[in-house]
Amino acid sequence: MPASRVIGIDPGLACTGVGIIEYHERRFRLVHQSVIRSSTELPIAVRLLRIHRGIREVMAQHRIDAAAIESVFVGHSARSALALGHARAAAMLALAWDGLPVGEYSPAEVKRAVGAGGRGSKEQVHDLVKMLLAGVKGRLPNDAADALAVAICHVNRTGGRR
C-alpha cells in the first residue's frame, strides 16, 4: 500500500494549527507543520477568511489523502465555544472544498491516540508527537503539535486507510 497523507487541524480563531503527516508501514513522518495566526483587532470575517485561505494554501502545496479536525470543546464559555465553532467551520469548508473525507475527534480522543491519556497536558502531547513522528527537529508550536496529534489520531482510528 502506498504512503497516505493526512492533514490535521487544531482550530482556533487566534491560532489554527495545521499539520500534515505521512503514514506508511506503521510509521509516521512529518511532512508539514504551521500555525495560522490572526489578530483580535481584525473583523471576524477577515479572521475566518485568513483561516480558510491559509489551509487552502497548505493543501495546494501538498498531496493530501484525508483530513481530520478537533471537535469543539465546550468547557470555558458559550462565547469561546462560538468563536471556536466559527474557526472550525472555516477550516472544515477549506478541507471539504476538494472533497476530502474529514474525521472529527474530541480533544480527549486525540490525547489518547498519542498516548497522553484523556487529560494529558500540552507538553505531554508535544513530547509524544515528537516521539511518534520521524523528521521533527526542535520545538513545535503547541497548536501545530496539536494538529499533528489530530492527524495521528485519524490514522489510528481508520487504520491508515484512505
Side-chain angles (χ1 to χ4, degrees):
M1 179 165 107
S4 62
R5 286 190 177 181
V6 178
I7 185 171
I9 305 293
D10 177 37
L13 204 48
C15 298
T16 292
V18 179
I20 300 173
I21 63 168
E22 189 169 80
Y23 177 76
H24 185 64
E25 296 179 355
R26 297 172 41 180
R27 293 180 191 217
F28 299 106
R29 183 179 70 81
L30 173 67
V31 173
H32 171 86
Q33 60 86 14
S34 61
V35 177
I36 302 165
R37 300 181 191 283
S38 65
S39 168
T40 57
E41 295 177 15
L42 294 171
I44 192 164
V46 173
R47 297 173 80 186
L48 296 174
L49 183 59
R50 185 170 283 180
I51 292 167
H52 183 270
R53 281 188 179 156
I55 293 169
R56 295 289 304 143
E57 287 170 9
V58 169
M59 291 174 63
Q61 297 169 9
H62 302 278
R63 174 188 57 81
I64 307 292
D65 299 305
I69 190 167
E70 194 168 80
S71 60
V72 175
F73 173 71
V74 187
H76 298 294
S77 69
R79 186 177 188 152
S80 63
L82 182 60
L84 179 56
H86 288 323
R88 279 188 84 239
M92 289 183 81
L93 178 59
L95 297 172
W97 196 268
D98 292 328
L100 281 176
V102 180
E104 299 179 59
Y105 305 100
S106 72
E109 285 177 288
V110 171
K111 289 174 182 179
R112 280 192 301 271
V114 297
R119 296 185 182 265
S121 69
K122 287 227 180 253
E123 289 74 28
Q124 283 178 308
V125 170
H126 179 275
D127 292 343
L128 290 164
V129 164
K130 280 185 71 169
M131 277 185 5
L132 291 168
L133 288 175
V136 177
K137 294 179 177 76
R139 181 115 184 113
L140 294 165
N142 284 337
D143 297 297
D146 289 347
L148 292 163
V150 171
I152 291 168
C153 178
H154 185 73
V155 170
N156 288 341
R157 284 301 192 101
T158 62
R161 293 179 304 278
R162 293 178 189 197

